[in-house]
Amino acid sequence: MSGRATILHADLDAFYASVEQRDDPRLRERAVIVGEGVVLACSYEAKRCGVRSGMGGVLARSLCPQAITVPPRMEAYAEASTQVFEQFADFTPFVEPLSVDEAFLDVAGAEHLFGPAAQIAQKLRTRVRENVGLALSVGVAQTKFLAKVASGQAKPDGTIVVEPGNELAFLHPLPIEVLWGVGRVTAAKLHDHGIDTVGDLASCERDGLKSYLGDHASAHLLALAHNHDPRAIDTNRRDRSMGAQRALGQKVRRREELRLEMLALAEKVAARLRKAERVARTVTVRYRTSEMRHETRSRTLPEATQQTDILVAVADELLLDLIDGPHGPGSRLGRVGCTLIGVTYSALGSPDAIQLALPFGDGGKPTDALDTMIDSIRSRWGDKAVARASLLDHKGEVAALTRPTALDSEAAEQSSASEPPDARQ
DNA sequence: TCTGGGGTCCTAGGACCC
DNA sequence: TCTGGGGTCCTAGGACCC
């Protein structure tokens, strides 16, 4: 493979904690922990004591007694994030956000304006430092995956450029934990088989890995170990699900308390759904038992909606199924307890899919109207959508031609394909 | 390590259709 | 009447990421 390294992965260092240190001079160069019950983020000074995000607060403070703990200020982080993404947009329109504090940038088309990708990376870091007051690390490579690994190695406050040709020499000595998709469980399995570095993994046979990692994971990880990652920057990704959850602690809750909590969560997410102008077809309710076991119940509706009353009613039914189990009201709750509940709306679509509802008048001929609708679907989503669209009965009066939700991603691909996804050449 | 809140993606089995 | 294979959708659970 030849070509230039033009994909950047930009990642803010210890984001929440850095914002706190920026805004309060007393916190600078000190160990800072954001979050009380659980560590949401911590400064590099705290990391040196062994504090990690996701760790319990009690343990974190015992590892690092001198640390200052501050409550999170989500608005401040959101504002900082917006400012940083404005800096990104000044260099290239091809930005794919991964979270509040990181993004991929394709700068192939920006090099004639700002110089080679390595220079753009430096300029970006300087701009973010000067205009937002935060440290940014940047990895530059020919693939997304490698750019992300590089930014991780560049931390804190650095740049690493992996030139084409040097990729495997860079990648293979690194521990398998740097690979995307290797977490606690997978890492343990790999170590059990004597695989400790990316190079070890790259020399494995597919069939051997498959026997304990499964089909997909083995192919995926082997591809990454050989630096195969053909994914392009995707600038118009949309959320595929939306949810909210709440931890409840160990205290035993009554059935009606849980239903009220769920009502509040389901309403909150429904409001977000409408604000984002999306509709959802699947409702999933999550429940964590006092033994930390997760259980879920989900239901897919015949038609996507953003209506609070429908979503809330489904969430309530699913929650009752979890609380009561097969043996009647409250029979499970007393035994297992509940330490967390949550609700997620998924199979998201856009509302225009349900605005295509077609009224069938008395003795009317639906055929002409149906043809019109099919034409409209074809122009919106292409031939493939027409072939797979389904006709739904709605209260016996209205037929709605609804695009199957599985086509959501295909339609997104089609619409993005009409824009220049790749400014190379 | 005794656990927050927001997500993504994959798997496996069953139902259903052709 | 019995039977097969392929495809899609739905559900529950799990791993992983920031």
Side-chain angles (χ1 to χ4, degrees), chain A residues 63-211:
Chain A
L63 287 170
C64 192
Q66 72 275 25
I68 302 175
T69 302
V70 298
R73 294 182 302 137
M74 291 302 170
E75 332 74 56
Y77 312 146
E79 194 188 332
S81 174
T82 303
Q83 291 169 354
V84 170
F85 276 85
E86 283 167 5
Q87 313 300 312
F88 294 167
D90 284 346
F91 286 92
T92 172
F94 301 111
V95 178
E96 176 180 339
L98 281 182
S99 70
V100 284
D101 64 346
E102 60 178 315
F104 287 115
L105 290 75
D106 188 338
V107 298
E111 287 183 312
H112 68 282
L113 289 174
F114 303 108
Q119 271 182 40
I120 295 179
Q122 293 299 346
K123 286 178 181 165
L124 200 58
R125 293 181 50 223
T126 306
R127 286 276 295 273
V128 169
R129 165 73 71 191
E130 287 173 356
N131 297 343
V132 195
L134 295 173
L136 182 76
S137 293
V138 180
V140 186
Q142 227 182 139
T143 60
K144 282 167 127 180
F145 154 68
L146 203 60
K148 184 166 164 66
V149 173
S151 76
Q153 299 297 306
K155 282 176 177 298
D157 202 8
T159 308
I160 285 185
V161 181
V162 185
E163 297 291 352
N166 290 338
E167 286 138 330
L168 297 183
F170 166 78
L171 193 56
H172 282 182
L174 298 175
I176 46 161
E177 281 83 1
V178 304
L179 295 181
W180 231 349
V182 176
R184 188 174 44 88
V185 176
T186 307
K189 287 181 190 166
L190 289 169
H191 287 308
D192 281 348
H193 288 81
I195 299 162
D196 300 316
T197 67
V198 180
D200 293 341
L201 185 64
S203 64
C204 287
E205 292 293 330
R206 169 85 192 277
D207 286 345
L209 288 171
K210 208 164 128 179
S211 66

Side-chain angles (χ1 to χ4, degrees), chain A residues 7-59:
Chain A
I7 293 182
L8 272 56
H9 179 260
D11 198 347
L12 291 157
D13 298 338
F15 179 44
Y16 294 178
S18 298
V19 173
E20 297 302 333
Q21 287 179 318
R22 179 195 70 179
D23 294 349
D24 184 350
R26 290 170 303 173
L27 301 179
R28 291 188 193 150
E29 287 165 37
R30 299 201 51 180
V32 176
I33 292 173
V34 182
E36 303 269 346
V38 159
V39 178
L40 293 177
C42 60
S43 68
Y44 278 91
E45 293 81 2
K47 283 183 190 180
R48 278 200 282 276
C49 304
V51 179
R52 295 287 176 270
S53 58
M55 186 179 265
V58 175
L59 173 70

Side-chain angles (χ1 to χ4, degrees), chain A residues 244 260-274 306 308-309 311-312 315 343 345:
Chain A
L260 276 178
E261 279 291 349
M262 179 53 71
L263 175 68
L265 290 173
E267 281 182 340
K268 186 169 108 181
V269 185
R272 278 173 53 204
L273 194 67
R274 279 193 300 276
Q306 53 177 204
T308 301
D309 53 350
L311 295 167
V312 162
V343 63
Y345 303 148

